[in-house]
């Protein structure tokens, strides 16, 4: 056997199935051996006392996305993927956003152009379909799915993105025919509008009222509607960013009926609450936490854990959607002071997703290491068709994160690499930290520093399903 390029020695190798103390041998970017003891490697990493986990896959991130007049997203592909690498990830899945009335294929090409040559971790693109016109449904969408863009997101809210029920059914029908997976943002447009207008009439316009304008009922109703439409058309769907008990129970109900309904949740729904949206001393400070769906009541965290433990959720993603706080092109946009309705929706989280799940889940004894690996990597690869990704096995890409399971860290903006100027988890204490991230056999982040190069991350082409 020719010499290994790299041997990772002495760590505990964890997959979704098991844990075993073993060396990992890597050649040409792939795992070629897992054994008790491997000899003959050009380079070695001593992983004694560390866990070797599959590199994190974050299948729901927004990067460099067009975000409305005068609003700029805080991350480009370089900063977002550098932050991802530092946070133990080796692959992220952002969206190519189709603006209504424009070509979906051109959107895909434009976002690929933004990513090309700039990424520190691998990237596989989803699409956002905002325009269910005959040309999109009849030609563009089927041909893009055939080209390997096998997942896309649709919205049940937002003026510029919302699809009507008929359009949702039409899009689901294309997905069924072409074998694509539809990710659904479940919040009901009309109910949110009704509540927003009423709150504004009452002068309740501070960031906190964002949460009041989008209560759990609104998410539950939309989740039920999306599930019903999916059943009607007989197509699998992924309900993204489930925030609390109400929507979680809709998913559980659908799964119990045998429907192919997948679900995702995110760190904000096990750690933050609607109270975080209240201005704390400083006017508009609650804007830092404005995201959709909004964080719920503290009791809701237990419901999300129930879903994580019972297998209602298959993926745990960040929904990274970063805006700078102290910036007129970000959370402090002048219009945002007139109403919560104009505060850009989204929070940064690409770098903190994994430590939060590890600490709150594994270190606190709520989930096993195997479940952590499933939720953070393996299931993302399986569901979105990422071959040779999401596990540590011979033949797989050598995408590995070495974790110190006992390391205590306090999340602070100053240690992060994202483009935002704050983190919603400032001061949050965790146990367990990713210390080295390896992409196709090359170290891309270690000891809190990003050491890879832009362009090392590839834009992956997926196979039609
Ligand atoms: N939905 C997302 O998935 N991300 C940010 C904002 C939103 O509404
Ligand atoms: Zn969404
Ligand atoms: Zn999102």
């Amino acid at each position: 056997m020719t010499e290994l390029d790299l041997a990772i020695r002495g760590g505990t190798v964890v997959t979704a199935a098991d844990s075993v103390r073993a060396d990992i041998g890597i050649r040409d970017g792939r795992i070629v051996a897992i054994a008790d003891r491997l000899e003959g490697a050009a380079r070695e990493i001593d992983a004694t006392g560390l866990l070797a986990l599959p590199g994190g896959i974050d299948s729901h991130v927004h990067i460099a996305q067009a975000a409305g007049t005068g609003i700029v997203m805080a991350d480009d592909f370089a900063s977002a993927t550098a932050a991802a690498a530092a946070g133990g990830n080796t692959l992220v899945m952002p969206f190519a956003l189709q603006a209504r009335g424009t070509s979906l294929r051109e959107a895909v090409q434009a976002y690929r152009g933004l990513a090309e040559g700039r990424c520190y971790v691998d990237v596989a693109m989803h699409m956002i379909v905002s325009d269910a016109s005959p040309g999109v449904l009849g030609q563009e969408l089927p041909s893009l799915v055939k080209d390997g863009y096998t997942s896309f997101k649709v919205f049940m809210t937002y003026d510029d993105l919302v699809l009507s029920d008929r359009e949702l059914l039409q899009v689901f029908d294309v997905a069924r025919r072409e074998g694509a997976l539809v990710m659904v943002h479940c919040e009901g447009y009309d109910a949110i509008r009704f509540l927003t207008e009423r709150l504004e009439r009452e002068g309740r316009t501070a960031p906190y009222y964002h949460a009041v304008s989008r209560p759990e009922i609104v998410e539950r109703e939309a989740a039920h509607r999306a599930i019903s439409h999916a059943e009607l058309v007989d197509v699998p769907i992924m309900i993204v960013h489930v925030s609390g008990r109400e929507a979680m129970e809709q998913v559980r109900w659908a799964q119990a009926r045998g429907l192919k309904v997948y679900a995702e949740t995110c760190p904000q729904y096990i750690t933050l609450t609607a109270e975080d949206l209240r201005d704390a001393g400083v006017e508009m400070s609650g804007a830092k936490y404005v995201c959709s769906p909004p964080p719920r009541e503290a009791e809701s965290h237990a419901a999300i854990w129930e879903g994580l433990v019972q297998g209602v959720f298959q993926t745990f993603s960040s929904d990274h959607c970063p805006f700078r706080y102290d910036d007129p092109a970000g959370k402090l946009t002048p219009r945002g002071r007139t109403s919560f309705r104009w505060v850009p929706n989204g929070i940064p989280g690409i770098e903190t997703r994994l430590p939060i799940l590890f600490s709150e889940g594994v270190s606190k004894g709520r989930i096993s290491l195997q479940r952590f690996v499933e939720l953070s990597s393996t299931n993302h690869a399986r569901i979105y068709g990422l071959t040779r990704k999401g596990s540590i096995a011979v033949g797989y890409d050598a995408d590995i994160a070495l974790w110190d399971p006992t390391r205590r860290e306090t999340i602070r903006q100053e240690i992060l690499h994202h483009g935002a100027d704050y983190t919603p988890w400032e001061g949050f204490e965790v146990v367990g930290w990713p210390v080295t991230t390896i992409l196709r056999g090359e170290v891309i982040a270690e000891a809190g520093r990003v050491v890879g190069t832009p362009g090392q991350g590839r834009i992956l082409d997926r196979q039609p399903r």
Side-chain angles (χ1 to χ4, degrees):
M1 174 157 143
T2 48
E3 195 175 64
L4 299 169
D5 299 330
L6 174 66
I8 300 172
R9 293 202 188 286
T12 298
V13 179
V14 185
T15 67
D18 45 33
S19 301
V20 61
R21 219 248 13 101
D23 292 356
I24 306 170
I26 295 160
R27 196 182 322 118
D28 297 332
R30 295 264 178 92
I31 297 167
V32 294
I34 300 171
D36 212 19
R37 172 89 197 154
L38 290 168
E39 304 292 344
R43 285 179 303 142
E44 293 192 358
I45 293 176
D46 180 7
T48 308
L50 301 179
L51 303 174
L53 307 186
I57 301 176
D58 194 342
S59 58
H60 185 156
V61 300
H62 303 268
I63 303 175
Q65 219 176 270
T69 321
I71 305 294
V72 181
M73 218 167 238
D75 270 315
D76 59 16
F77 277 87
S79 59
T81 57
N89 300 281
T90 49
L91 202 172
V92 297
M93 300 189 75
F95 296 88
L97 166 66
Q98 176 202 30
R100 198 166 279 160
T102 68
S103 152
L104 187 57
R105 185 167 287 278
E106 281 171 21
V108 168
Q109 280 156 354
Y111 281 88
R112 275 189 83 115
L114 293 174
E116 210 87 56
R118 294 190 176 88
C119 296
Y120 290 84
V121 302
D122 286 350
V123 164
M125 291 264 176
H126 308 289
M127 304 177 285
I128 290 175
V129 177
S130 67
D131 197 338
S133 61
V136 171
L137 294 174
Q139 285 107 45
E140 285 206 303
L141 193 49
S143 102
L144 282 159
V145 176
K146 287 189 178 77
D147 287 350
Y149 297 95
T150 49
S151 49
F152 56 86
K153 183 173 175 188
V154 293
F155 286 76
M156 298 175 76
T157 187
Y158 293 129
D159 290 331
D160 49 350
L161 297 171
V162 62
L163 299 186
S164 68
D165 285 332
R166 180 163 162 268
E167 290 169 331
L168 285 172
L169 288 159
Q170 289 171 326
V171 166
F172 284 9
D173 201 32
V174 175
R176 186 189 53 78
R177 269 204 318 272
E178 302 298 332
L181 182 63
V182 192
M183 308 162 77
V184 193
H185 178 125
C186 296
E187 288 186 298
Y189 176 79
D190 280 310
I192 293 170
R193 244 185 101 170
F194 166 78
L195 292 170
T196 299
E197 286 165 3
R198 190 168 75 182
L199 286 162
E200 286 181 341
R201 274 199 310 276
E202 293 166 353
R204 299 176 200 224
T205 56
Y208 173 71
Y209 294 103
H210 170 80
V212 182
S213 75
R214 316 171 89 98
E216 285 200 48
I217 299 170
V218 164
E219 186 187 12
R220 179 192 70 199
E221 179 277 325
H224 186 84
R225 193 155 33 103
I227 289 165
S228 303
H229 292 348
E231 182 175 4
L232 203 65
V233 173
D234 188 23
V235 68
I237 55 169
M238 162 69 79
I239 301 198
V240 292
H241 46 50
V242 170
S243 70
R245 177 168 300 281
E246 298 273 337
M248 187 277 284
E249 286 183 345
Q250 293 298 312
V251 174
R252 190 159 61 188
W253 171 82
Q255 291 169 347
R257 284 168 64 89
L259 302 176
K260 212 32 178 224
V261 175
Y262 299 109
E264 169 202 85
T265 190
C266 314
Q268 42 275 34
Y269 307 121
I270 55 169
T271 53
L272 305 180
T273 71
E275 286 303 302
D276 289 313
L277 276 77
R278 287 197 193 275
D279 291 343
V282 182
E283 199 191 345
M284 294 301 292
S285 62
K288 288 181 181 174
Y289 300 89
V290 167
C291 61
S292 293
R296 307 299 185 184
E297 305 313 311
E299 302 81 68
S300 164
H301 299 168
I304 297 295
W305 279 114
E306 211 176 289
L308 286 165
V309 169
Q310 293 175 356
V312 177
F313 296 112
Q314 288 70 46
T315 58
F316 187 86
S317 306
S318 67
D319 194 7
H320 180 71
C321 186
F323 299 96
R324 288 174 55 79
Y325 169 67
D326 193 8
D327 193 327
K331 295 286 191 180
L332 292 189
T333 171
R335 275 179 111 188
R337 293 181 192 278
T338 68
S339 169
F340 59 84
R341 167 202 306 238
W342 304 112
V343 175
N345 280 209
I347 57 175
I350 203 167
E351 196 167 352
T352 44
R353 168 186 75 122
L354 295 178
I356 290 171
L357 181 63
F358 192 100
S359 185
E360 292 294 304
V362 179
S363 302
K364 291 193 175 170
R366 290 176 168 125
I367 57 171
S368 66
L369 272 172
Q370 278 62 47
R371 186 85 184 112
F372 174 82
V373 167
E374 272 184 348
L375 287 164
S376 63
S377 182
T378 310
N379 285 352
H380 301 249
R382 283 189 191 142
I383 290 171
Y384 293 109
L386 302 158
T387 47
R388 296 197 308 274
K389 299 289 191 185
S391 193
I392 298 183
V394 170
Y396 273 57
D397 284 357
D399 296 347
I400 296 164
L402 301 180
W403 281 72
D404 180 343
T406 60
R407 173 137 158 212
R408 291 176 181 277
E409 222 15 282
T410 303
I411 295 175
R412 288 163 290 133
Q413 167 65 11
E414 66 193 66
I415 63 170
L416 300 179
H417 301 76
H418 60 198
D421 57 352
Y422 77 100
T423 166
W425 288 279
E426 186 71 37
F428 192 91
E429 293 181 0
V430 294
V431 178
W433 196 256
V435 290
T436 304
T437 311
I438 297 164
L439 176 68
R440 270 180 262 101
E442 303 288 339
V443 174
I444 55 168
E446 64 184 334
R449 286 187 318 121
V450 176
V451 297
T453 49
Q456 210 170 333
R458 294 183 188 155
I459 305 180
L460 303 178
D461 290 315
R462 285 182 281 161
Q463 297 303 312
R465 293 153 72 90

